[in-house]
Structure formats: C-alpha cells, structure tokens
Amino acid sequence: MSHSSGLSVNAGVLSLVEDMRLRAAELRISVSQGPAGETLIDAGSTVPGSIEAGRLMTEICLGGLGTVDIGSSPYLTRWPFTLTVRSSNPVIACLGSQYAGWQLTSGEGENAYFSMGSGPARALAGREDLFRDIAYADKSEQATIVLEAASPPPEDLVRRIANDCDIAPENLTIVFAPTQSLAGSVQIVGRVVEVALHKAHELKFDLSRIVEGMGTAPLAPPHPDFITAMGRTNDAVIYGGRIMLHVTGPADEAKALAEKLPSSNSNDYGRPFADVFRQYEGDFYKIDPMLFSPAEVEVVSLESGETYRGGAVDPKLVDASFG
C-alpha cells in the first residue's frame, strides 16, 4: 500500500481541530482530556453543540480535503437550507477518511461500547479492505477520529485505537456527537458525496477516474428519538441529495454510472428510511445497500463534454420524513 498521493488527511485536519478547540464556547461544545491522555471533543452529547460545530466536524471527516458550506436552494420549497460538500480529491476525502468503516467495540452485555469510526485516523490504522482498493495510507504522529456516538470510547478502546494508528494516546483526538444532536445531524447529511462514491465502488466503477465530487442535501431537522433522527438524516440524502461527479475515461461508462447511482434503483426506495429500518426490525444489513445513495446524480464526462443524469429529488418523501 503506497502513500503515493502525498496527501495526509491527519495533518490536514489539525487546523480544524484547533479551530474547534479555540471556538469551543462559541460552538457550544466541550473539550477535555480523557483517561488515556486523549483529547475529547464533545460536539453534542452533554452539550448543545451547533450547526457550525457540525460543519467543522464534517470538514474533519473529509480529512481537510473538502469544503462544507451551509447555504440555501429553491429546490425543496419547505426545506430551503442546504449543506454543500466539495472536494477535488473526492476518493481520499470521502473513502480514505469520511466513510464510517472502522468497527470499534469494547466490553460485553450492558457495558458494551460500539461505534463506527470515521475520519482521518482510519487511514493510519488501515484496518479495512477499502484502503487496498483505493491504494491509500497515511503517516502522521497525530490522529483524529470522529464518532457518531453519545459517549466517548472507554479507555481500553482508546488505547487500542492509538495502538492501531501507531501513535501515543495523547496524540489522539476523538470528536463525537450523537445522531440526535445538531452537529450529528449535520455531519451525517454531509456524507452526500461519500455515499455516492461508496456505491460507485460497489458498482465496480474505477474510482481513480473520479476527479471532482460535489453534492448538496437539505439540512435535516434533529429529533430526540434516535430512529427518527437517523431516518431524517438518511432521507436528506436518499430523497433530497443531489451530486455531480467529474470523471475521466469512456463516456459510455460515465453514462452508465449516472443511470445506476441514484437511490431510486433500490428495491427499498419509496418510503421514509425509519419505516424501512423498522420493517427489517432494526437490522441494517437487511436493507438493500443500493438505497444509500443520493436522489439525483449528474456525471460529467471529461472525455465527451457531456453531462449524464439519473434520478430525481423527491420533495414529498422529504416532507414525509422531516415532518
């Protein structure tokens, strides 16, 4: 595995982590030291957090290789405010960093801790097959991991994460926020491009040919109920997300990608995500993985200059989900 790109996602987020630390009061977050000496940034568990904290959290997830903007769009009349993600290194930003692919577990029974790790630390640990597929690894003395969780990991797990990243625990930063929080809802909607790249990978498209990625999705209103909150953040992408990818290589393959990528190709498409989740009795792995994709896709073929399109935003389903 080569670190051929010369890009370090862990070095790339140090200024963003520092920004969160310096602006903690303004962002309504808390920064503390954990039992192993790690830095803990609570962005929405015991603190209110903020949309801005979620925006920074999303840029951290992207390894400093993407920009995240809050703006507005006339596309969904009832939900005008949107989150827009852009990256000129979309494969490393989204799959090499942002993708929540590192399973973190500790303990058993009532005391069990489980979370999926996302963010730059994954590229130091390299525990997932995905890193072989994208031929990326990182080298850094500092690591940052982002967790969609209501509490930080226990000390034994923190030490294991640091060990897997080959760093000292005091050089590890853990940013966490639950799905139900302001920041949590933002960082999940901020995966609008990442889910498209992950699906392109599943469809066996050559990822090295995706040279630009941008996407936008409506900001989902948080909800105190976990399943409702999770449903809304997923629906923001599945029924309200729009992406554009610029690709090299044969135009017919760009056209095929645009046709296959949208969420509407999934058998589970057509109902709010919370309903789908309940139908499968909360078993994520029974849900058709092809559902996790943006509603509307544009693929620009740099070879032909043509833009190929697939799917469409579904305002009714966004309304049904967001309330």
Side-chain angles (χ1 to χ4, degrees):
M1 189 157 54
S2 65
H3 179 227
S4 54
S5 64
L7 296 170
S8 168
V9 287
N10 283 279
V13 301
L14 291 175
S15 62
L16 293 163
V17 170
E18 182 65 1
D19 198 21
M20 285 190 94
R21 199 177 67 76
L22 293 173
R23 295 169 62 196
E26 173 209 334
L27 298 171
R28 299 194 299 260
I29 63 177
S30 78
V31 182
S32 61
Q33 193 178 40
E38 76 278 18
T39 298
L40 296 173
I41 300 181
D42 177 352
S45 175
T46 65
V47 293
S50 57
I51 286 172
E52 176 64 4
R55 191 191 69 78
L56 288 166
M57 201 173 170
T58 312
E59 288 195 345
I60 288 169
C61 281
L62 289 159
L65 293 173
T67 57
V68 179
D69 297 301
I70 309 288
S72 66
S73 157
Y75 220 70
L76 293 163
T77 47
R78 292 188 64 210
W79 311 102
F81 297 101
T82 53
L83 177 145
T84 300
V85 180
R86 289 177 291 134
S87 178
S88 296
N89 296 278
V91 175
I92 294 175
C94 295
L95 299 182
S97 188
Q98 187 181 26
Y99 177 62
W102 190 5
Q103 253 188 348
L104 302 168
T105 55
S106 168
E108 281 172 21
E110 300 227 327
N111 300 322
Y113 183 91
F114 173 81
S115 186
M116 295 300 289
S118 69
R122 291 176 49 244
L124 289 175
R127 307 279 291 187
E128 306 150 54
D129 294 344
L130 187 58
F131 286 100
R132 277 206 301 277
D133 300 343
I134 65 172
Y136 179 69
D138 195 6
K139 272 207 163 13
S140 174
E141 298 291 309
Q142 304 270 345
T144 303
I145 194 162
V146 178
L147 305 176
E148 185 186 327
S151 59
E155 186 179 353
D156 68 294
L157 182 51
V158 171
R159 292 190 183 279
R160 227 182 315 141
I161 293 167
N163 190 49
D164 285 346
C165 293
D166 200 22
I167 59 155
E170 54 267 30
N171 290 343
L172 174 65
T173 298
I174 300 170
V175 187
F176 65 99
T179 312
Q180 301 93 312
S181 65
L182 280 164
S185 67
V186 171
Q187 75 89 11
I188 302 167
V189 174
R191 297 172 183 274
V192 59
V193 179
E194 177 245 287
V195 292
L197 264 68
H198 190 255
K199 187 164 171 180
H201 181 50
E202 296 287 311
L203 292 168
K204 306 281 189 278
F205 188 82
D206 178 358
L207 295 177
S208 68
R209 289 170 34 199
I210 303 177
V211 295
E212 291 279 344
M214 55 186 88
T216 188
L219 282 174
H223 195 283
D225 173 67
F226 169 72
I227 291 175
T228 308
M230 178 187 62
R232 286 179 177 183
T233 54
N234 277 290
D235 291 334
V237 172
I238 295 167
Y239 300 119
R242 312 170 75 194
I243 62 142
M244 177 181 270
L245 302 176
H246 291 72
V247 304
T248 59
D252 59 335
E253 292 179 23
K255 183 172 188 284
L257 183 65
E259 287 164 4
K260 289 178 193 161
L261 262 187
S263 53
S264 52
N265 288 309
S266 165
N267 297 327
D268 285 326
Y269 181 92
R271 288 176 303 146
F273 184 80
D275 295 354
V276 177
F277 189 73
R278 287 189 193 100
Q279 180 204 329
Y280 293 116
E281 291 166 358
D283 187 343
F284 243 108
Y285 298 101
K286 287 186 181 161
I287 300 168
D288 177 8
M290 293 295 145
L291 182 64
F292 299 98
S293 197
E296 193 170 305
V297 173
E298 296 178 2
V299 179
V300 180
S301 163
L302 295 174
E303 181 189 72
S304 70
E306 291 287 321
T307 300
Y308 303 103
R309 298 167 196 276
V313 163
D314 192 326
K316 283 199 177 75
L317 276 161
V318 176
D319 283 351
S321 172
F322 286 11

Coordinates of all heavy atoms in Angstrom, one line a residue, residues 231-273:
G231 N -33.4 8.3 10.6 CA -34.3 8.3 9.4 C -34.2 9.6 8.6 O -34.0 9.6 7.4
R232 N -34.3 10.7 9.3 CA -34.3 12.0 8.6 C -32.9 12.3 8.0 O -32.9 12.8 6.9 CB -34.6 13.1 9.7 CG -36.1 13.2 10.0 CD -36.3 14.3 11.1 NE -37.7 14.4 11.4 CZ -38.3 15.3 12.2 NH1 -37.5 16.1 12.8 NH2 -39.6 15.3 12.5
T233 N -31.8 12.0 8.7 CA -30.5 12.3 8.1 C -30.3 11.5 6.8 O -29.7 11.9 5.9 CB -29.4 12.1 9.1 OG1 -29.5 10.8 9.7 CG2 -29.4 13.1 10.2
N234 N -30.7 10.2 6.9 CA -30.6 9.4 5.7 C -31.5 9.8 4.5 O -31.1 9.9 3.4 CB -30.9 7.9 6.0 CG -29.7 7.2 6.7 OD1 -28.7 6.9 6.0 ND2 -29.8 6.9 7.9
D235 N -32.8 10.2 4.9 CA -33.7 10.7 3.9 C -33.2 12.0 3.2 O -33.5 12.2 2.0 CB -35.1 10.9 4.5 CG -35.7 9.6 4.9 OD1 -35.4 8.5 4.3 OD2 -36.6 9.6 5.8
A236 N -32.5 12.8 3.9 CA -32.0 14.0 3.4 C -31.1 13.7 2.1 O -31.2 14.4 1.1 CB -31.1 14.8 4.4
V237 N -30.4 12.6 2.2 CA -29.5 12.2 1.1 C -30.3 11.4 0.1 O -30.3 11.6 -1.1 CB -28.3 11.4 1.6 CG1 -27.5 10.8 0.5 CG2 -27.4 12.3 2.4
I238 N -31.0 10.4 0.6 CA -31.7 9.4 -0.3 C -32.8 10.0 -1.2 O -33.0 9.7 -2.3 CB -32.3 8.2 0.6 CG1 -31.2 7.4 1.2 CG2 -33.2 7.3 -0.3 CD1 -31.7 6.5 2.3
Y239 N -33.5 11.0 -0.6 CA -34.6 11.6 -1.3 C -34.4 13.1 -1.6 O -35.1 13.7 -2.5 CB -36.0 11.5 -0.5 CG -36.3 10.0 -0.3 CD1 -36.4 9.5 1.0 CD2 -36.5 9.2 -1.4 CE1 -36.7 8.2 1.2 CE2 -36.8 7.8 -1.2 CZ -36.9 7.3 0.1 OH -37.2 6.0 0.3
G240 N -33.4 13.7 -1.0 CA -33.1 15.1 -1.2 C -31.8 15.5 -1.7 O -31.4 16.6 -1.9
G241 N -30.9 14.5 -1.8 CA -29.5 14.7 -2.2 C -29.3 14.8 -3.6 O -29.9 14.1 -4.4
R242 N -28.4 15.7 -4.0 CA -28.0 15.9 -5.5 C -26.5 15.9 -5.5 O -25.8 16.7 -4.8 CB -28.6 17.2 -6.0 CG -30.0 17.4 -5.7 CD -30.4 18.9 -6.1 NE -30.6 19.0 -7.5 CZ -30.7 20.2 -8.1 NH1 -30.6 21.3 -7.5 NH2 -30.8 20.2 -9.4
I243 N -25.9 15.2 -6.5 CA -24.5 15.2 -6.6 C -24.0 15.4 -8.1 O -24.8 15.1 -9.0 CB -23.8 13.9 -6.1 CG1 -24.2 12.7 -6.8 CG2 -24.0 13.8 -4.6 CD1 -23.1 11.7 -7.0
M244 N -22.8 15.9 -8.2 CA -22.2 16.0 -9.5 C -20.8 15.4 -9.4 O -20.0 15.8 -8.5 CB -22.1 17.4 -10.0 CG -21.4 17.5 -11.4 SD -21.3 19.3 -11.9 CE -22.9 19.4 -12.8
L245 N -20.4 14.5 -10.3 CA -19.1 13.9 -10.3 C -18.5 14.2 -11.7 O -19.2 14.1 -12.7 CB -19.1 12.4 -10.1 CG -19.7 11.8 -8.8 CD1 -19.8 10.3 -8.9 CD2 -19.0 12.3 -7.6
H246 N -17.2 14.6 -11.7 CA -16.5 14.8 -13.0 C -15.6 13.6 -13.1 O -14.8 13.3 -12.2 CB -15.6 16.0 -12.9 CG -16.5 17.3 -13.0 ND1 -17.2 17.7 -11.9 CD2 -16.7 18.2 -14.0 CE1 -17.8 18.8 -12.2 NE2 -17.5 19.2 -13.5
V247 N -15.7 12.9 -14.3 CA -14.9 11.6 -14.4 C -14.2 11.6 -15.7 O -14.6 12.2 -16.7 CB -15.9 10.4 -14.4 CG1 -16.6 10.3 -13.0 CG2 -16.8 10.3 -15.5
T248 N -13.1 10.9 -15.7 CA -12.3 10.7 -16.9 C -12.7 9.3 -17.5 O -13.4 8.6 -16.9 CB -10.8 10.7 -16.6 OG1 -10.5 9.6 -15.7 CG2 -10.3 12.0 -16.1
G249 N -12.1 9.0 -18.7 CA -12.4 7.6 -19.3 C -13.6 7.6 -20.2 O -14.2 8.7 -20.4
P250 N -14.0 6.4 -20.7 CA -15.0 6.3 -21.7 C -16.4 6.9 -21.3 O -16.8 6.7 -20.2 CB -15.2 4.8 -21.9 CG -13.9 4.2 -21.4 CD -13.4 5.1 -20.3
A251 N -16.9 7.7 -22.2 CA -18.2 8.4 -21.9 C -19.3 7.4 -21.6 O -20.2 7.7 -20.8 CB -18.6 9.3 -23.1
D252 N -19.4 6.3 -22.3 CA -20.5 5.3 -22.1 C -20.5 4.8 -20.6 O -21.5 4.5 -20.0 CB -20.5 4.2 -23.1 CG -19.2 3.3 -23.0 OD1 -18.1 3.9 -22.6 OD2 -19.2 2.2 -23.4
E253 N -19.3 4.7 -20.0 CA -19.2 4.3 -18.6 C -19.7 5.4 -17.7 O -20.3 5.1 -16.6 CB -17.8 3.8 -18.3 CG -17.4 2.5 -19.0 CD -16.0 2.1 -18.7 OE1 -15.4 2.4 -17.7 OE2 -15.4 1.3 -19.6
A254 N -19.4 6.6 -18.1 CA -19.9 7.8 -17.3 C -21.5 7.8 -17.3 O -22.1 8.0 -16.3 CB -19.4 9.1 -17.8
K255 N -22.0 7.5 -18.5 CA -23.5 7.5 -18.7 C -24.1 6.3 -17.8 O -25.1 6.5 -17.1 CB -23.8 7.2 -20.2 CG -25.3 7.2 -20.5 CD -25.4 7.2 -22.0 CE -26.9 7.4 -22.4 NZ -27.7 6.2 -22.2
A256 N -23.4 5.2 -17.9 CA -23.9 4.0 -17.1 C -23.9 4.3 -15.6 O -24.8 4.0 -14.9 CB -23.1 2.8 -17.4
L257 N -22.8 5.0 -15.2 CA -22.7 5.4 -13.7 C -23.9 6.3 -13.3 O -24.5 6.1 -12.3 CB -21.4 6.0 -13.5 CG -21.1 6.4 -12.0 CD1 -21.0 5.1 -11.1 CD2 -19.8 7.2 -11.9
A258 N -24.2 7.3 -14.1 CA -25.3 8.2 -13.8 C -26.6 7.5 -13.7 O -27.5 7.8 -12.9 CB -25.3 9.3 -14.9
E259 N -26.8 6.5 -14.5 CA -28.0 5.7 -14.5 C -28.2 4.8 -13.3 O -29.2 4.6 -12.7 CB -28.2 4.9 -15.8 CG -28.5 5.8 -17.0 CD -28.2 5.1 -18.4 OE1 -27.9 3.9 -18.4 OE2 -28.4 5.7 -19.4
K260 N -27.0 4.2 -12.9 CA -27.1 3.2 -11.8 C -27.0 3.8 -10.4 O -27.4 3.2 -9.4 CB -25.9 2.2 -12.0 CG -26.1 1.3 -13.2 CD -24.9 0.4 -13.3 CE -24.8 -0.3 -14.6 NZ -23.4 -0.8 -14.9
L261 N -26.4 5.0 -10.3 CA -26.1 5.5 -9.0 C -27.3 6.0 -8.1 O -27.3 5.8 -6.9 CB -25.1 6.8 -9.1 CG -23.7 6.5 -8.8 CD1 -22.9 7.9 -8.8 CD2 -23.4 5.8 -7.5
P262 N -28.3 6.6 -8.7 CA -29.4 7.1 -7.8 C -30.1 6.1 -6.9 O -30.2 4.9 -7.2 CB -30.4 7.7 -8.8 CG -29.6 8.0 -10.1 CD -28.6 6.9 -10.1
S263 N -30.5 6.6 -5.7 CA -31.2 5.7 -4.7 C -32.4 5.0 -5.3 O -32.8 4.0 -4.8 CB -31.5 6.5 -3.5 OG -32.3 7.7 -3.9
S264 N -33.0 5.6 -6.3 CA -34.3 5.1 -6.8 C -34.1 3.7 -7.5 O -35.1 3.0 -7.8 CB -34.9 6.1 -7.8 OG -34.0 6.4 -8.8
N265 N -32.8 3.3 -7.7 CA -32.6 2.0 -8.3 C -32.8 0.9 -7.2 O -32.7 -0.3 -7.5 CB -31.2 1.9 -8.8 CG -31.0 2.7 -10.1 OD1 -31.8 2.5 -11.0 ND2 -30.0 3.5 -10.2
S266 N -32.9 1.3 -5.9 CA -33.0 0.3 -4.9 C -34.4 -0.2 -4.7 O -35.4 0.5 -4.8 CB -32.5 0.9 -3.5 OG -33.0 0.1 -2.5
N267 N -34.6 -1.5 -4.4 CA -35.9 -2.1 -4.1 C -36.5 -1.5 -2.8 O -37.7 -1.6 -2.7 CB -35.7 -3.6 -3.9 CG -35.2 -4.4 -5.1 OD1 -35.5 -3.9 -6.2 ND2 -34.5 -5.4 -4.9
D268 N -35.7 -0.9 -1.9 CA -36.2 -0.4 -0.7 C -36.6 1.1 -0.8 O -37.0 1.8 0.1 CB -35.2 -0.6 0.4 CG -35.3 -2.0 1.0 OD1 -36.3 -2.6 0.9 OD2 -34.2 -2.5 1.4
Y269 N -36.4 1.6 -2.1 CA -36.7 3.1 -2.3 C -38.2 3.3 -2.2 O -39.0 2.5 -2.6 CB -36.2 3.5 -3.7 CG -36.5 4.9 -4.1 CD1 -35.5 5.9 -3.8 CD2 -37.6 5.3 -4.7 CE1 -35.7 7.2 -4.1 CE2 -37.9 6.6 -5.0 CZ -36.9 7.6 -4.7 OH -37.1 8.9 -5.1
G270 N -38.6 4.5 -1.7 CA -40.0 4.9 -1.8 C -40.8 5.1 -0.5 O -41.9 5.5 -0.5
R271 N -40.1 4.9 0.6 CA -40.7 5.2 1.9 C -39.6 5.8 2.8 O -38.4 5.6 2.6 CB -41.1 3.8 2.6 CG -42.4 3.2 2.0 CD -42.7 1.9 2.6 NE -41.5 1.0 2.5 CZ -41.2 0.1 3.4 NH1 -41.9 0.0 4.5 NH2 -40.2 -0.7 3.3
P272 N -40.1 6.6 3.8 CA -39.1 7.2 4.7 C -38.2 6.1 5.3 O -38.7 5.0 5.6 CB -39.9 7.8 5.8 CG -41.2 8.2 5.1 CD -41.4 7.1 4.1
F273 N -36.9 6.4 5.5 CA -35.9 5.4 5.9 C -36.3 4.8 7.3 O -36.1 3.6 7.5 CB -34.6 6.1 6.0 CG -33.5 5.1 6.4 CD1 -32.9 4.3 5.4 CD2 -33.0 5.0 7.7 CE1 -31.9 3.3 5.8 CE2 -32.0 4.0 8.0 CZ -31.5 3.2 7.1

